[in-house]
Amino acid sequence: MSAPRRPSDPSGLERYYVLTGGRSGPGGSASSLDVATLVVARAAPLPGMQHEHEEILRRCRDPLSVAELGAHLGLPFNILAVLLSDLLVAGRVEARNPIPAHEAGRGPDLALLEEVLSGLERL
């Protein structure tokens, strides 16, 4: 008698394996992606594209962070990073890392921070 077959779980690990073609992480320039990286589409979806790639391009018409994109698509970061890597290599999306305030030549806005603190103290 053969072993009982497990029911296929389309939302489980098998699905992620299929989505990424067995890859476990992004390569090349996509390896620097993090949850705060902004992604913006540079091209429209093509007919016959993988559904998740199409959805990424549709949602990223305006810049969207990797964290927001992952929440919308219901995908873990490492799976989304592999999909974004495909689109980055193909030139279909652009990834922009946020510029920290101290690197942009200015520090935090002290006047704004003082107003926020004042407002919190009044609560």
Side-chain angles (χ1 to χ4, degrees):
M1 180 179 239
S2 63
R5 293 184 55 163
R6 285 187 5 213
S8 177
D9 181 7
S11 64
L13 296 177
E14 294 90 3
R15 175 176 175 250
Y16 297 150
Y17 184 86
V18 171
L19 287 178
T20 63
R23 294 170 290 162
S24 61
S29 63
S31 61
S32 66
L33 291 174
D34 68 15
V35 293
T37 301
L38 296 176
V39 179
V40 63
R42 289 289 165 226
L46 295 173
M49 265 186 142
Q50 184 176 338
H51 172 74
E52 288 75 15
H53 286 147
E54 289 180 14
E55 196 61 29
I56 290 169
L57 292 174
R58 280 192 198 97
R59 290 186 183 268
C60 292
R61 288 182 185 132
D62 294 318
L64 197 62
S65 74
V66 172
E68 293 171 304
L69 189 56
H72 287 301
L73 298 176
L75 293 172
F77 174 79
N78 62 327
I79 303 302
L80 181 57
V82 171
L83 297 174
L84 288 171
S85 173
D86 295 341
L87 293 170
L88 282 165
V89 168
R92 306 205 62 79
V93 296
E94 180 181 331
R96 301 176 187 166
N97 289 323
I99 301 171
H102 68 278
E103 289 182 17
R106 64 180 208 282
D109 184 351
L110 293 179
L112 176 63
L113 292 175
E114 288 173 0
E115 287 181 39
V116 170
L117 180 60
S118 175
L120 289 173
E121 289 172 344
R122 281 185 260 142
L123 291 177

